[in-house]
Amino acid sequence: MRLRLLLLALGTFAVGTDGMVMAGILPLIGRDLDVSISVAGQVVTVFALSYAVLAPVLATVTARWPRRRALLTALTVFSLANALTALAPSYGALLATRVLAAAGAALYTPTANAVATGLVPPERRGRAIAVVMGGLTVATALGVPLGTWIGRTDWRLTMWLVTGLGVAAFAGLALLLRELPQPAAALTLRERLRPLADPRVLGAALTTFLVFLAFQTSFIYYTVATFPATGGDQDRLTLLLLVSGIASVGGSSVGGRLVDTWGPRSVIMSCSAAYVMFAAASPWTLRTMPTALAASALTPLFGWSIAVALITRVASLDPANAPVLVSLNSSALYLGVAAAGGTGSLAITLFGDRWFLLVGAGLMVVATVVAAVTTRTPRAREGAVAPDPVRA
C-alpha cells in the first residue's frame, strides 16, 4: 500500500517540478526564443490558468472512467506535452505545449488524491493525501533546484528531466497499480461549483487567490529579483532555490502543527504579517548572497505555513464535501499563479527590477485584510481545533 502511494507521489513530484521550475530558467528561455524575461514569464501564466480552468472540467468529463485509465492517460498527455516543450521551435509553440502539459497535470493530481483516499481505511485518508501531495512539496525542495541546475546551460534539458519523471511515474503505475476502487458517483460541473454560493467558501477561495498572487508575483521572477546577489550565476541561483525549497517543506510541516494548536485563522493572520515584513524588506535583502540566503529561507517558511492553513480552513467548512472544496481551493491557487505572471511582469515594467518586489508585499497586505474580514463571522467554525469564531 505504501508503495502505491509513493508511486502516486512520484507523479505529483513530476507535476510540481514542471509547474515551478520555470522560475529558474526564464532568462534562458528568453534568450533562446528571443523574448524578454517578462514575456517568457507568461509560460507560467498559461500553464497555471489552463490548470485552473481545466481541472474541474476534466474531473467532470472523466468522472466515470476507471481510475487507472485516468491516471495513465494524464501521465501520457503530461509526458508527451513536456517532450514537445523541450522541442518547441518558437515561443508560440512553447505556449501551446504548456496548455497540453497543464491538461495532463489537471487530470492527474485530483485523480491521484481520489485514488489515495480509496486505498486506505477512512481513518488514514488524511495521511494518504499527505503522502501524495508530499510529491509537490518535495518538488519545491529538490525538483526545482535540480531542474534549474541541469538546465543552467540549456533550458530544454530541464524539460527532458520533467519528461523523464513523467515517464517513470507512468511505468511504475502501469506495472504496480492494478486493482483500484471504482470512482464514486459523478458530480456535474454545476454541482462542483455550487459551494461557491456559500460566502465562507467564496471568501476562502478569494483569500487563497490573493495569497498566491502575492507569493508568485515575486517568485516567478526570482531570477530577476536575486540577480544582484547571484550576478546571473546559475549555481548561485540553484543554491537559493534549494534553500527556498527546503524552507517550503519546513513551512508545510510547521504550518500543520501550528494549525492543530492555534487554528487556521490565527496561523493565516500571524504568518501573513510575518510574510509581509520579510517581503517588504526583500528589495534590500536580495542584494547580497548572505542576506538573500536568509530571505530565501524565511519568506517561504511563512508563505507555505499560510498555504497549509488555507487548505485546512476551506476543508473544515464542510468536512463531508472536503474533496470538492479542496479542488475549488486548488483552482483558486492556480488562478492566483496565473494572474501573478502578468502582475509581476507589469510591476517590473512600472517599478523596475528591484522595487517590483514591494508589489508582492502589498498584495499580501490585501490578502491579510480579506482573510480577517471573511473569517470574523459567527458561521466561520473551522473544525475541532477552532470551535469558536474568534479562534477560527
Side-chain angles (χ1 to χ4, degrees):
M1 195 67 66
R2 181 75 175 180
L3 176 60
R4 289 182 169 191
L5 294 177
L6 290 175
L7 288 171
L8 292 171
L10 177 58
T12 55
F13 175 74
V15 169
T17 300
D18 189 31
M20 293 180 285
V21 77
M22 289 294 179
I25 58 175
L26 285 184
L28 298 174
I29 293 175
R31 285 197 294 270
D32 183 35
L33 300 181
D34 195 26
V35 296
S36 69
I37 192 169
S38 296
V39 172
Q42 301 316 301
V43 300
V44 179
T45 299
V46 168
F47 181 93
L49 181 60
S50 299
Y51 185 110
V53 172
L54 291 173
V57 175
L58 292 175
T60 303
V61 171
T62 64
R64 297 188 184 278
W65 286 19
R67 298 297 85 186
R68 184 171 183 270
R69 183 206 298 176
L71 288 171
L72 295 181
T73 299
L75 288 173
T76 299
V77 172
F78 176 82
S79 301
L80 175 62
N82 277 285
L84 292 174
T85 296
L87 297 171
S90 65
Y91 181 70
L94 176 64
L95 292 180
T97 66
R98 300 318 294 154
V99 174
L100 190 61
L107 176 57
Y108 180 82
T109 304
T111 304
N113 280 322
V115 168
T117 61
L119 290 175
V120 297
E123 65 272 13
R124 296 184 62 87
R125 286 177 179 172
R127 279 169 283 187
I129 291 177
V131 171
V132 175
M133 296 307 291
L136 296 176
T137 309
V138 175
T140 306
L142 297 179
V144 173
L146 176 63
T148 300
W149 183 79
I150 288 176
R152 63 192 185 281
T153 57
D154 185 354
W155 65 272
R156 297 177 189 273
L157 295 177
T158 300
M159 305 320 299
W160 286 120
L161 168 67
V162 177
T163 302
L165 291 173
V167 171
F170 176 94
L173 294 178
L175 293 173
L176 299 174
L177 204 65
R178 293 292 181 180
E179 297 180 4
L180 293 176
Q182 290 299 312
L187 296 176
T188 65
L189 183 58
R190 177 176 294 181
E191 289 171 331
R192 292 179 183 276
L193 298 178
R194 185 174 296 159
L196 290 176
D198 185 337
R200 300 174 303 161
V201 176
L202 186 60
L206 178 58
T207 303
T208 297
F209 169 81
L210 290 170
V211 165
F212 278 86
L213 174 63
F215 190 50
Q216 294 293 323
T217 290
S218 299
F219 184 76
I220 291 174
Y221 299 99
Y222 200 66
T223 51
V224 175
T226 59
F227 185 84
T230 65
D233 184 278
Q234 286 294 109
D235 290 335
R236 288 189 171 192
L237 176 62
T238 299
L239 176 59
L240 291 177
L241 289 171
L242 178 61
V243 170
S244 177
I246 294 173
S248 299
V249 175
S252 297
S253 177
V254 172
R257 294 177 182 273
L258 292 177
V259 167
D260 288 341
T261 303
W262 296 347
R265 184 178 193 274
S266 295
V267 174
I268 292 171
M269 299 305 296
S270 59
C271 289
S272 293
Y275 181 93
V276 169
M277 180 179 68
F278 287 109
S282 58
W284 294 271
T285 57
L286 297 182
R287 306 296 289 179
T288 67
M289 275 301 289
T291 54
L293 285 168
S296 296
L298 291 171
T299 307
L301 181 69
F302 290 103
W304 283 96
S305 294
I306 301 168
V308 172
L310 291 170
I311 295 173
T312 306
R313 173 194 174 191
V314 72
S316 62
L317 292 174
D318 186 1
N321 292 314
V324 175
L325 296 180
V326 172
S327 70
L328 289 174
N329 189 74
S330 295
S331 290
L333 185 159
Y334 275 95
L335 284 173
V337 175
T343 303
S345 175
L346 179 61
I348 291 174
T349 301
L350 294 177
F351 304 111
D353 295 353
R354 180 178 183 180
W355 303 109
F356 86 96
L357 294 163
L358 295 178
V359 174
L363 288 169
M364 187 61 80
V365 172
V366 176
T368 306
V369 172
V370 171
V373 171
T374 58
T375 54
R376 290 191 66 84
T377 165
R379 299 181 62 195
R381 184 181 185 274
E382 299 184 356
V385 296
D388 61 79
V390 175
R391 190 179 177 200

